[in-house]
């Protein structure tokens, strides 16, 4: 482990905590840190307590979980496919989730109206898992990472096409609802439903840590991994199940968040200068949480970003990172 | 030689290939501890497929492989990895791995669930790097090494795996003359001094005849095996490499035009 890794982790933790606290303080109503602190423990005015507990705390927790989870997804997929441009959106998982949501919100608008957040969530998870099922069937037939990546891209195009058809045929109200979801947001999780996001994401993150050793073996390719004792096929499907669980759940609650999954592992590699997953996994998850909190804070800052969609900010920050990674040359681009 | 030793690896009636037609069939071979064997054959003859089948990475079409007297199919992936280490053909793209971390990947069959390295593991990694003269490269990025250095590092990784057998697929490809001889000497010394069974595929017939103990020759979907002396004198090499306008000189292990 490079000597600076503990410092990087400490630094990311500090930045993360500062951003998290800023999240609780900043909003339409500015709340000083000491009032936030007492409100967390149930002291102070009832309005402040309500703002902190039902609005800001859930949003900050959602951003932390979603950022960390999507970043872990990106790292898992970049290693699995040995491709620096792999991410949840590339394998078609986000598209599948979007299609699930579109089917619920556009084709059966009354369905989404009856069960607002919950219906959307279910649609996204079912969509992501359906794509995962197709991908795993394809995997069984081909057993080739690159071909699978292309299948994922094709599934993405297919889903987008179906969504376009649905959009043409849907009502203005339903379309608006779908487009708002598609812009991405960390504000959609009410306190009572936090468990629905938290439990799967924490399970997925623990699963990602569980796979650190075979992930390292996969850095050398599947044949070398098999030669050091990795059961490649079951390992590959474990990685895909964890990816599906994380991407499906997070997309369900936050919409298809662009670039966080793809770009964050590259930032983490740049920070640590290593491909060792024992180091990269925690640093990637922390970096993802920090970036998500940062992006969400930008659109919350009064007078700066209010009203800007979350996806616009993540793309504005994420796209240059990916371009930079590619421009830094082959060594970095292949740093999977 | 060899029959009095216990064979580390033994194949009987092995046929390997993809789909319908086997690339090589009726293969009977064995690999003993302490010997360095070269697998020779033209491109596409099935050398890689044979090596992968012997290592359990590819299912043979027929026949059986035994590792230390046990059928290969009965071993788990991890049990296999504790007995056979491989150096695959080509140079893997390993991103930002440094040399020491890559060599330490060889310890995976022996470490616990999270791959944490114990003192003994670090010891083996160190020894593997000493044996391959890669210790000075320990903190370099693998992607910055020359081809010769990278090949020694990959061999160090296989050595760190602490197996009785090393199977190497064209470890001397793309290397210059000096590095080819250096790698082959290293492999022969590992066989003779550390008593490992080493099987490598190569196109460098001359060096193989000079430095290896035995030759496996794939020709016409058959595998011929014999000592290097037998290979020189039996006339099999001459027949296998009979090409119009070229004549194989068994004395030098090289071709000259006629």
């Amino acid at each position: 482990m490079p000597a600076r890794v503990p410092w990087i982790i400490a630094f990311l933790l500090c930045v993360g905590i500062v951003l998290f606290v800023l999240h609780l303080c900043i909003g339409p109503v500015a709340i000083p840190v000491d009032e936030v602190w007492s409100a967390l423990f149930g002291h102070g005015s009832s309005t402040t307590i309500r703002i902190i507990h039902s609005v800001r705390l859930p949003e900050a927790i959602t951003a932390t979980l979603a950022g960390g989870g999507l970043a872990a997804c990106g790292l898992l997929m970049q290693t699995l496919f040995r491709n620096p441009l792999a991410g949840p959106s590339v394998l078609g998982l986000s598209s599948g989730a979007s299609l699930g949501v579109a089917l619920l919100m556009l084709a059966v608008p009354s369905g989404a109206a009856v069960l607002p957040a919950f219906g959307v969530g279910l649609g996204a998870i079912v969509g992501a898992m359906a794509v995962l099922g197709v991908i795993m069937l394809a995997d069984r037939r081909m057993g080739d990472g690159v071909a699978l990546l292309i299948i994922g891209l094709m599934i993405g195009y297919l889903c987008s096409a179906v969504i376009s058809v649905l959009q043409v045929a849907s009502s203005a109200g339903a379309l608006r609802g779908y487009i708002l979801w598609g812009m991405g947001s960390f504000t959609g999780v009410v306190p009572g439903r936090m468990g629905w996001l938290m439990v799967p994401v924490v399970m997925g993150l623990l699963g990602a840590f569980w796979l650190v050793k075979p992930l390292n073996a996969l850095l050398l390719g599947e044949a070398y991994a098999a030669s050091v004792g990795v059961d490649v096929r079951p390992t590959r499907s474990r990685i895909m199940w964890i990816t599906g669980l994380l991407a499906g759940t997070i997309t369900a609650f936050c919409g298809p968040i662009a670039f966080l999954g793809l770009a964050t592992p590259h930032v983490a590699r740049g920070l640590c200068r290593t491909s060792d997953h024992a180091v990269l996994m925690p640093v990637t998850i922390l970096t993802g949480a920090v970036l998500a909190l940062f992006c969400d804070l930008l659109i919350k800052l009064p007078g700066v970003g209010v009203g800007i969609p979350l996806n616009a900010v993540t793309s504005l920050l994420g796209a240059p990172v990916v371009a930079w990674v590619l421009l830094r040359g082959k060594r970095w681009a292949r740093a999977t | 030689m060899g029959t009095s030793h216990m064979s580390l690896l033994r194949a009987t009636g092995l046929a390997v290939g993809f789909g319908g037609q086997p690339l090589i069939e009726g293969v009977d071979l064995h690999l003993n501890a302490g010997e360095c064997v070269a697998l020779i054959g033209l491109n596409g003859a099935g050398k890689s497929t044979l090596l992968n089948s012997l290592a359990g990475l590819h299912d043979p079409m027929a026949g059986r492989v035994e590792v230390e007297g046990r059928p290969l199919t009965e071993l788990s992936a991890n049990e296999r990895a504790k007995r056979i280490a491989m150096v695959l053909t080509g140079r893997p793209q390993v991103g930002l791995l440094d040399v020491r971390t890559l060599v330490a990947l060889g310890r995976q069959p022996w470490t616990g669930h999270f791959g944490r390295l114990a003192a003994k593991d670090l010891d083996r990694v160190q020894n593997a790097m000493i044996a391959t003269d890669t210790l000075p490269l320990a903190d370099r990025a693998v992607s910055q090494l020359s081809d010769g250095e990278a090949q020694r590092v990959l061999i160090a990784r296989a050595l760190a795996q602490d197996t009785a057998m090393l199977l190497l697929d064209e470890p001397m490809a793309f290397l210059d003359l000096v590095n080819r001889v250096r790698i082959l000497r290293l492999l022969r010394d590992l066989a003779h001094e550390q008593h490992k069974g080493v099987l490598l595929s190569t196109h460098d017939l001359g060096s193989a005849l000079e430095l290896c103990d035995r030759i496996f020759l794939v020709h016409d979907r058959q595998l011929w095996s014999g000592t290097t002396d037998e290979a020189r004198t039996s006339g099999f090499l001459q027949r296998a490499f009979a090409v119009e306008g070229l004549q194989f000189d068994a004395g030098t292990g090289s071709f000259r035009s006629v």
Side-chain angles (χ1 to χ4, degrees):
Chain A
M1 191 199 302
R4 58 196 187 136
V5 168
W7 294 105
I8 291 168
I9 290 177
F11 171 76
L12 288 170
L13 274 176
C14 291
V15 175
I17 290 167
V18 168
L19 287 172
F20 196 95
V21 172
L22 280 177
H23 244 273
L24 300 181
C25 300
I26 291 172
V29 185
I31 304 173
V33 180
D34 53 335
E35 279 183 43
V36 167
W37 189 253
S38 30
L40 277 177
F41 296 100
H43 307 298
S45 81
S46 62
T47 320
T48 311
I49 292 176
R50 200 177 320 123
I51 290 176
I52 295 294
H53 280 269
S54 8
V55 181
R56 296 197 184 167
L57 196 57
E59 185 178 351
I61 293 174
T62 305
T64 310
L65 288 173
L70 287 173
C73 255
L75 179 58
L76 287 170
M77 295 175 70
Q78 287 170 12
T79 299
L80 177 64
F81 295 113
R82 292 169 63 72
N83 189 322
L85 295 179
S89 48
V90 182
L91 197 64
L93 293 184
S94 305
S95 313
S98 299
L99 180 59
V101 172
L103 279 172
L104 267 177
M105 290 178 83
L106 302 178
V108 214
S110 57
V114 174
L115 287 167
F118 199 64
V120 170
L122 215 58
I125 291 175
V126 169
M129 287 297 177
V131 169
L132 194 71
V134 174
I135 296 267
M136 286 173 72
L137 273 180
D139 182 48
R140 205 156 292 169
R141 278 190 67 87
M142 298 182 302
D144 173 359
V146 178
L148 213 55
L149 200 62
I150 295 170
I151 294 278
L153 278 172
M154 293 307 119
I155 291 175
Y157 285 125
L158 272 178
C159 292
S160 307
V162 176
I163 291 170
S164 304
V165 173
L166 284 173
Q167 282 177 334
V168 170
S170 64
S171 71
L175 195 57
R176 188 181 136 77
Y178 175 75
I179 287 174
L180 280 179
W181 175 81
M183 288 176 174
S185 167
F186 295 137
T187 56
V189 187
V190 295
R193 296 230 174 87
M194 188 51 79
W196 290 90
L197 175 69
M198 195 181 275
V199 172
V201 169
V202 169
M203 273 170 51
L205 292 180
L206 289 177
F209 274 108
W210 194 248
L211 291 175
V212 157
K213 181 175 162 182
L215 283 168
N216 275 340
L218 282 169
L219 284 174
L220 294 175
E222 292 184 357
Y224 266 117
S227 87
V228 291
V230 174
D231 273 317
V232 172
R233 224 160 246 274
T235 301
R236 206 163 44 195
S237 62
R238 267 172 224 142
I239 295 175
M240 292 210 287
W241 275 113
I242 292 172
T243 311
L245 180 73
L246 286 170
T249 314
I250 294 166
T251 309
F253 286 101
C254 309
I257 308 285
F259 280 105
L260 267 184
L262 175 55
T264 310
H266 293 296
V267 177
R269 283 189 203 99
L271 286 172
C272 304
R273 305 277 163 79
T274 181
S275 297
D276 180 1
H277 289 81
V279 174
L280 263 191
M281 190 59 78
V283 173
T284 300
I285 291 170
L286 275 175
T287 309
V290 164
L291 287 178
L293 283 167
F294 178 72
C295 289
D296 197 41
L297 202 59
L298 277 186
I299 60 173
K300 274 179 62 174
L301 279 180
V304 179
V306 177
I308 298 179
L310 178 62
N311 259 335
V313 178
T314 56
S315 299
L316 279 172
L317 290 176
V321 168
V322 175
W324 171 72
V325 163
L326 290 173
L327 289 171
R328 287 282 300 250
K330 284 179 177 170
R331 194 166 71 82
W332 280 72
R334 288 176 182 166
T336 47
Chain B
M1 68 170 280
T3 41
S4 60
H5 294 258
M6 182 187 146
S7 290
L8 296 172
L9 187 73
R10 182 176 290 278
T12 1
L14 198 66
V16 302
F18 299 90
Q21 183 85 334
L23 288 163
I24 318 172
E25 53 191 339
V27 173
D28 295 309
L29 62 80
H30 63 94
L31 179 67
N32 297 324
E35 66 171 351
C36 181
V37 181
L39 174 61
I40 309 270
L42 298 177
N43 288 328
K47 299 189 297 297
S48 298
T49 315
L50 177 61
L51 283 176
N52 286 339
S53 302
L54 291 174
L57 302 186
H58 183 84
D59 290 331
M61 297 173 75
R64 55 192 269 132
V65 179
E66 279 175 20
V67 175
E68 292 167 2
R70 289 174 62 189
L72 183 60
T73 46
E74 281 180 14
L75 300 178
S76 72
N78 207 58
E79 288 175 315
R80 238 167 37 216
K82 285 180 174 175
R83 289 163 175 82
I84 305 174
M86 291 204 80
V87 174
L88 299 165
T89 185
R91 185 173 168 179
Q93 293 294 336
V94 294
L96 301 170
L97 277 189
D98 60 280
V99 168
R100 192 185 295 274
T101 312
L102 185 141
V103 174
L105 286 180
R107 294 305 300 164
Q108 282 218 348
W110 305 94
T111 55
H113 185 88
F114 291 99
R116 188 173 291 276
L117 299 170
K120 183 192 166 198
D121 298 306
L122 294 171
D123 227 41
R124 303 277 178 175
V125 170
Q126 190 84 358
N127 287 342
M129 296 206 298
I130 292 170
T132 51
D133 195 19
T134 51
L135 201 53
L137 309 171
D139 297 317
R140 299 258 302 273
V142 176
S143 54
Q144 291 174 336
L145 302 178
S146 74
D147 284 340
E149 289 169 335
Q151 199 55 259
R152 294 211 309 277
V153 167
L154 288 169
I155 292 172
R157 188 214 59 80
L159 264 188
Q161 210 169 320
D162 202 16
T163 56
M165 275 170 280
L166 292 179
L167 268 50
L168 307 96
D169 196 355
E170 298 202 23
M172 283 114 72
F174 311 114
L175 299 187
D176 57 45
L177 180 66
V178 174
N179 274 301
R180 283 210 302 270
V181 172
R182 190 174 180 191
I183 294 284
L184 193 52
R185 283 227 173 96
L186 166 67
L187 293 173
R188 184 199 55 181
D189 292 347
L190 289 174
H192 293 177
E193 288 161 19
Q194 299 196 17
H195 218 59
K196 291 182 184 296
V198 177
L199 174 59
L200 66 133
S201 69
T202 179
H203 291 293
D204 189 349
L205 188 52
S207 305
L209 283 173
E210 193 184 337
L211 291 168
C212 293
D213 303 308
R214 284 198 296 147
I215 302 283
F216 293 162
L217 176 65
V218 179
H219 175 61
D220 213 6
R221 297 203 283 129
Q222 305 290 315
L223 185 118
W224 176 92
S225 91
T227 64
T228 40
D229 284 338
E230 288 166 356
R232 282 177 202 276
T233 53
S234 70
F236 199 89
L237 281 175
Q238 283 87 333
R239 280 198 300 283
F241 287 98
V243 186
E244 205 163 324
L246 280 180
Q247 194 171 34
F248 179 71
D249 184 338
T252 61
S254 60
F255 292 90
R256 54 190 162 83
S257 25
V258 288

